[in-house]
Amino acid sequence: MALRSRMKDKADRSGAAEADNRAPLPRPGEYLTDPLLWASWLYHHDEMTQSQIADLMGVSRATVVNYLQQARDLHYVKVVVRPELLNSIDLAQQLKQAFGLTECMVIPFDGGVRPPSERIGRAGAQYLDQILVNGDVLGVAWGRTVLSLAENLPERAMPDSCVVQVIGSQRSAYDGFTAEECVAFIARRLHARSINLHAPAALSNAALRDALMREPTIQEQFARIRSCNKLLFGVCTVKANSLVFASGLISVDESKYYIANGAVGVIAGRFYDIEGNWLRGTMDDRMIGITLDDVRSVPTRIAAAGGPDKTDAILGALRGGYITALITDEPTARNILGRL
């Protein structure tokens, strides 16, 4: 569709002057109901040129261009590049071979126009839509990229599926990136059952955490977490501006122990080093959520992450075997391969 659209656009540009000089036809009454929808259908499905649509609708070609752009902005139209093709490019193949990945999608660099989390989230939504089947138990962590993925996930009916929160709740001092919000968003898109983890992600002390973990309700929820056959998560850095600190999950002061011991990244609140070794500390003793051992036990482990500052964090996660499917961008892929 995209190639045909470009060919039509070229034809439209070459004939724009002639089209604008022709007297417009009377506008058919039916187009008054929703011209954006009609113009989109004629252009993408009937493969009419913009000039032909302008004649048919009795408007200028410039108006048709505006209709088509508004239709894109309002999500009347979805242009999709087949995600499996991004799995076949050389960078993706090198990453798959180097780390034993089952899948890898590498999207091209856009010059820094949009944040990596937004672009990778869009690509991740296409990938997730491709691999999900009704009956899946999908575990979901949290993060900017995960939320972007959720927002771009196509709506579909998966009534026999569950979307499971795999880390407890964080404070709501920041918007949109909490685990429960990501889980609820994805569950609504899939018309699937949403299962939340009804506990804080971090307790004030280990004794309180241990007591809460003995509660039957929490044990049932962890049994569901361990039944996940697919897991979706983002990757955080240990830099001061990392979401792991903005969320209130851990303070910068408490993180100094992990950083001093070589921490480079965080998955679902768990710190690890450049070789992927799980670094355990006081935070782990008072935390309620999936562990890195649990992560490795899930058959399909999808990481949606990118950006030059996340090179070490993603590399450590790959070396630790926490990822089976990676969705990232070109600069990050090149940086990772440059470290081998």
Side-chain angles (χ1 to χ4, degrees):
M1 179 183 295
L3 178 60
R4 292 197 300 269
S5 296
R6 287 197 299 271
M7 294 173 65
K8 295 202 305 297
D9 287 343
K10 183 176 180 181
D12 289 336
R13 288 193 297 270
S14 65
E18 292 85 346
D20 288 339
N21 289 330
R22 288 195 295 266
L25 297 174
R27 181 186 299 179
E30 61 265 28
Y31 292 123
L32 292 173
T33 57
D34 197 334
L36 307 186
L37 183 58
W38 285 112
S40 299
W41 187 271
L42 294 170
Y43 187 72
H44 293 288
H45 283 272
D46 294 328
E47 300 186 14
M48 294 175 64
T49 67
Q50 294 169 356
S51 296
Q52 289 171 330
I53 297 169
D55 282 348
L56 183 62
M57 297 182 69
V59 297
S60 69
R61 179 181 170 277
T63 298
V64 173
V65 172
N66 288 333
Y67 285 162
L68 295 173
Q69 183 57 54
Q70 290 179 54
R72 289 281 299 274
D73 293 342
L74 295 171
H75 304 291
Y76 282 32
V77 174
K78 179 177 68 175
V79 179
V80 176
V81 176
R82 289 166 52 198
E84 67 270 19
L85 299 181
L86 294 173
N87 188 49
S88 64
I89 66 174
D90 185 56
L91 286 173
Q93 289 298 314
Q94 290 182 56
L95 286 170
K96 288 172 68 175
Q97 183 175 5
F99 298 103
L101 300 174
T102 57
E103 300 288 346
C104 181
M105 288 176 58
V106 178
I107 62 173
F109 184 50
D110 73 339
V113 175
R114 294 187 177 183
S117 59
E118 178 183 330
R119 302 182 66 242
I120 293 168
R122 288 178 179 271
Q126 292 187 32
Y127 172 75
L128 194 63
D129 181 55
Q130 185 182 49
I131 68 163
L132 286 175
V133 295
N134 193 26
D136 277 339
V137 181
L138 174 66
V140 175
W142 55 292
R144 292 185 179 92
T145 307
V146 173
L147 179 65
S148 175
L149 186 155
E151 291 174 336
N152 288 280
L153 190 64
E155 188 171 356
R156 58 189 290 191
M158 295 181 58
D160 299 325
S161 297
C162 298
V163 184
V164 182
Q165 181 179 337
V166 299
I167 180 174
S169 302
Q170 303 97 45
R171 71 186 187 194
S172 57
Y174 64 105
D175 295 328
F177 311 127
T178 61
E180 54 267 41
E181 288 172 301
C182 290
V183 165
F185 212 133
I186 292 175
R188 285 196 299 269
R189 292 287 194 184
L190 300 178
H191 295 265
R193 183 183 176 192
S194 175
I195 299 179
N196 293 108
L197 182 53
H198 299 295
L203 279 298
S204 57
N205 58 72
L208 183 57
R209 180 258 186 196
D210 292 344
L212 195 55
M213 286 294 294
R214 289 192 290 268
E215 288 294 318
T217 299
I218 300 298
Q219 290 182 355
E220 289 174 8
Q221 290 170 336
F222 266 84
R224 181 67 74 174
I225 288 173
R226 294 187 178 105
S227 74
C228 291
N229 66 318
K230 293 182 173 74
L231 178 65
L232 170 66
F233 56 90
V235 176
C236 289
T237 71
V238 294
K239 293 178 169 50
N241 62 350
S242 172
L243 189 61
V244 74
F245 303 126
S247 69
L249 187 62
I250 186 173
S251 69
V252 175
D253 283 342
E254 191 175 12
S255 72
K256 290 178 180 178
Y257 164 82
Y258 295 97
I259 295 172
N261 283 275
V264 297
V266 187
I267 293 174
R270 308 290 182 175
F271 289 75
Y272 54 89
D273 65 17
I274 194 66
E275 298 301 327
N277 299 308
W278 178 14
L279 301 174
R280 307 186 194 213
T282 57
M283 172 69 185
D284 297 272
D285 295 336
R286 59 186 185 83
M287 184 175 168
I288 293 182
I290 194 171
T291 71
L292 291 182
D293 288 340
D294 292 332
V295 168
R296 273 193 290 246
S297 70
V298 180
T300 300
R301 308 181 290 278
I302 307 157
D309 63 326
K310 292 193 175 182
T311 298
D312 285 351
I314 298 172
L315 178 58
L318 288 166
R319 286 174 170 168
Y322 306 123
I323 301 172
T324 62
L326 174 65
I327 298 96
T328 192
D329 57 7
E330 178 187 355
T332 308
R334 293 190 185 279
N335 286 347
I336 292 170
L337 291 169
R339 297 286 302 276
L340 302 182

